[in-house]
Amino acid sequence: MMKKLVINSAWCKGCGICAAFCPKGALEVVKEKVRRKEGTDCILCGQCELRCPDYAIYVDETKEDGNA
Amino acid sequence: MAGVNMTGVSPKTAQVSDLIWKYMRPENMPHIWCPGCGHGIIMREVAQAVENLGIDRDKLMIVSGIGCSSRAAGYMDANTLHTTHGRAIAFATGIKIANPELEVIVLTGDGDASAIGGNHLIHACRRNIGLTVVVMNNSIYGMTGGQYSPTTPTGEFGTTAPYGNIDRDFDVAQLAIGAGATYAAKGSVYHVPQTVKLIENGIKHKGFSIIDVADVCPTYYGRKNKKGSAVNMMQYQKDNMVPADKAKTMTEEELKGKIVVGLLKETEYPEYTEEYQKIIDRFVKGAK
Ligand code: SF4
Ligand code: SF4
Ligand code: SF4
């Protein structure tokens, strides 16, 4: 099982909720879109996914064969 | 096509989580709600609760009324019905009586549920019909431009209360309890795992359930009342949360401005459609 953080910029409205409550400060909003902040660690806790009103950020779990 | 994958789950064609792919209609996204509007969070809480219970989507019925929140019926991928203002519970009652095997979930706003639809709400409580009502309670009419609603706290502002609201506000969950609801809880958009669990238990409960979820409307409520951004409003929920058990020991004064989260009431009483079925059975037997 491989986990990774996915950001769907097309749906992100830049509200900043995910960034505000990320326990690692791993996100920032730049020009109304969220992105990973350089030099920070994402621990794949999924807090951002729980509170994103736009389903634009989530922790993806891909099985080893590459299928979801 | 996401809209037709009612039973199986087809391979994803949009960049979304499995949960959203399964329960939402990605072809209608991004949704119309404002940046930071809590409605999307509550819709996800409902989807997560349904997923946790493993409910077959063919048996899932989502009913909404009118208002920003009630757009949810258009975004969720299940049997959905977008009805008229305040009448979601009335339509849902009809659906449940005709199809007691369905899990009927009503998604409604504070104005829709407690003003325009207040009468339907209290009578559904009184009958103890097996509906689950999730109130997306942001204390304002968003869609029509920020008018104060029955849940706008006294003294707060709306476009129709420019000098401060002099009405007393309803506590929707307590109103429902007073009217006979057999399950009542309060959640929030900040306290997601707790709220998911409360919705889950509300769906499982036999009889009328209400989950009053403290929502955020940064566009109208936030601006009119200088509550800051969606982040500030969620931070407020985080900082001012009181567990329901503790709230029971606090006075009305102490509870002012607090965000109560937890179970308020759970009790047993005969469910309406089961009682109705007993009458049908009596006549069917009588006819033989
Ligand atoms: S998964 Fe957790 S650590 Fe990673 S960005 Fe989201 S909230 Fe932050
Ligand atoms: S919470 Fe969602 S919409 Fe808001 S900034 Fe983060 S990813 Fe974008
Ligand atoms: S007006 Fe308020 S309730 Fe309506 S979509 Fe915007 S933030 Fe949400």
Side-chain angles (χ1 to χ4, degrees):
Chain A
M1 197 80 90
M2 259 243 316
K3 281 188 174 188
K4 64 172 196 297
L5 186 78
V6 181
I7 294 173
N8 178 356
S9 295
W11 290 9
C12 172
K13 293 178 186 159
C15 69
I17 292 172
C18 57
F21 300 108
C22 167
K24 300 304 270 182
L27 300 166
E28 62 181 353
V29 177
V30 177
K31 292 192 185 126
E32 296 183 1
K33 295 286 174 192
V34 82
R35 67 176 191 199
R36 280 280 285 110
K37 197 164 162 181
E38 254 179 70
T40 60
D41 283 328
C42 164
I43 52 169
L44 300 167
C45 66
Q47 292 284 320
C48 48
E49 177 177 353
L50 291 186
R51 301 192 186 91
C52 171
D54 284 276
Y55 320 128
I57 191 165
Y58 61 99
V59 176
D60 190 50
E61 288 185 29
T62 310
K63 299 201 185 85
E64 250 113 70
D65 60 5
N67 291 318
Chain B
M1 202 176 120
V4 293
N5 61 352
M6 280 301 289
T7 38
V9 177
S10 53
K12 284 196 243 177
T13 54
Q15 205 179 25
V16 286
S17 67
D18 293 345
L19 183 78
I20 299 307
W21 180 251
K22 188 169 170 187
Y23 291 99
M24 308 288 170
R25 304 183 211 249
E27 68 273 24
N28 295 347
M29 308 261 175
H31 53 58
I32 197 172
W33 293 320
C34 305
C37 173
H39 294 341
I41 304 175
I42 300 179
M43 199 161 76
R44 189 187 174 284
E45 288 172 341
V46 172
Q48 185 70 63
V50 169
E51 172 69 9
N52 292 353
L53 291 170
I55 294 166
D56 176 358
R57 271 181 315 152
D58 286 335
K59 294 257 176 295
L60 178 64
M61 180 80 221
I62 304 284
V63 186
S64 73
I66 293 290
C68 288
S69 58
S70 290
R71 296 260 187 173
Y75 297 124
M76 293 199 72
D77 191 11
N79 303 293
T80 57
L81 187 68
H82 193 177
T83 72
T84 55
H85 205 3
R87 315 300 166 211
I89 291 175
F91 280 90
T93 297
I95 292 166
K96 185 71 184 177
I97 290 202
N99 310 273
E101 75 286 359
L102 293 182
E103 286 296 350
V104 184
I105 301 177
V106 176
L107 302 181
T108 173
D110 41 290
D112 198 56
S114 71
I116 299 93
N119 211 15
H120 299 299
L121 171 69
I122 58 175
H123 292 286
C125 293
R126 181 174 63 85
R127 287 175 173 145
N128 195 36
I129 185 158
L131 309 175
T132 304
V133 175
V134 177
V135 185
M136 299 157 100
N137 187 351
N138 56 17
S139 304
I140 202 116
Y141 289 94
M143 186 178 268
T144 46
Q147 293 83 1
Y148 73 96
S149 87
T151 67
T152 306
T154 312
E156 299 263 283
F157 297 87
T159 47
T160 45
Y163 310 113
N165 171 28
I166 59 169
D167 289 15
R168 272 194 293 174
D169 47 303
F170 263 154
D171 180 323
V172 180
Q174 294 297 349
L175 173 72
I177 290 171
T182 50
Y183 180 100
K186 287 190 184 194
S188 88
V189 290
Y190 180 82
H191 303 92
V192 175
Q194 296 94 315
T195 305
V196 168
K197 194 77 207 158
L198 292 163
I199 297 173
E200 235 181 278
N201 290 341
I203 296 171
K204 273 200 292 193
H205 175 76
K206 197 189 273 191
F208 187 91
S209 312
I210 189 163
I211 302 94
D212 178 12
V213 185
D215 199 349
V216 296
C217 166
T219 301
Y220 285 111
Y221 194 79
R223 275 190 207 154
K224 283 274 160 216
N225 291 288
K226 303 197 170 50
K227 304 277 184 198
S229 65
V231 169
N232 297 135
M233 294 174 86
M234 302 227 354
Q235 183 70 43
Y236 181 89
Q237 291 195 344
K238 183 182 181 196
D239 297 341
N240 290 281
M241 194 273 260
V242 173
D245 282 340
K246 186 165 177 229
K248 283 172 193 157
T249 67
M250 292 166 69
T251 65
E252 208 175 306
E253 200 53 39
E254 289 170 331
L255 280 170
K256 255 205 187 104
K258 296 294 180 208
I259 304 292
V260 177
V261 173
L263 180 67
L264 302 178
K265 180 168 183 133
E266 187 168 19
T267 179
E268 277 180 42
Y269 189 79
E271 194 274 330
Y272 195 74
T273 60
E274 288 190 5
E275 294 306 298
Y276 194 73
Q277 188 60 43
K278 282 183 197 162
I279 294 184
I280 295 173
D281 291 346
R282 222 157 72 203
F283 279 93
V284 170
K285 269 190 210 127
K288 272 179 195 160

